[in-house]
Amino acid sequence: MRQAKKNSKNDIDRPCDHSGCTEKGLYRAPKDRTLSSYYWFCLKHVKEYNKNWNFYAGLSIEEVEQHNQNDITWQRPTWRLGTRSTVSSKHIKDPMGMFHEVGLGMDGKHHPPVKPLEKYERKFREAVLFLELEVPVKKADLKRQYKKMAKKYHPDTNKGSKEAEKMFKKLAEAYHYLMERIGG
């Protein structure tokens, strides 16, 4: 029950919404479950209204239970941790395979643990790190990353830069080495 704010005359000109009542409507009471519009009653009638008003009137037991369950999170949608992340594994670099090592995928699913990167031979580790990939290396990811980096380091797009040419050769070597290792 909430009392109305008084106007500048310290007086409320609003009459009670109860039919036939001539008292001032100082107390508001909700008209429906949306709580967006209100009746204004005198003290006697707001007590009577509140005594008889049922927020859940017209709802089934299942709907009442669902409403109460949603109240736990302030009527906001929720989901299991890790299942609706705005950050995907594509955006997180995990070259050492720390998430995969313990069987936790960034997609919220459990995956079998994989061999940590440091357990691979040095040349394989260097190629994976250079191409900014994660183990286990997937052929589609390798090809996608190679194309992306080839555009970046290709001498034609770098005005014949010797440094870009050097990086492009390193990229090609790493790509071919990994393709041989993963069966490409």
Side-chain angles (χ1 to χ4, degrees), residues 80-99:
R80 290 183 57 95
L81 185 63
T83 59
R84 274 194 57 155
S85 174
T86 55
V87 178
S88 70
S89 59
K90 291 182 268 182
H91 299 102
I92 296 177
K93 306 233 184 291
D94 185 26
M96 299 303 189
M98 294 185 323
F99 292 113

Side-chain angles (χ1 to χ4, degrees), residues 117-157:
L117 189 59
E118 63 267 7
K119 294 186 178 178
Y120 290 95
E121 62 185 55
R122 184 183 59 79
K123 192 169 181 178
F124 183 87
R125 286 194 314 261
E126 289 174 355
V128 168
L129 290 172
F130 181 76
L131 282 157
E132 300 172 358
L133 295 169
E134 54 185 57
V135 289
V137 177
K138 297 181 183 108
K139 192 174 184 177
D141 294 339
L142 175 59
K143 286 182 175 184
R144 187 179 314 110
Q145 189 65 6
Y146 173 75
K147 286 179 184 178
K148 176 182 160 189
M149 293 179 80
K151 289 177 185 176
K152 180 180 178 181
Y153 294 123
H154 197 280
D156 290 346
T157 59

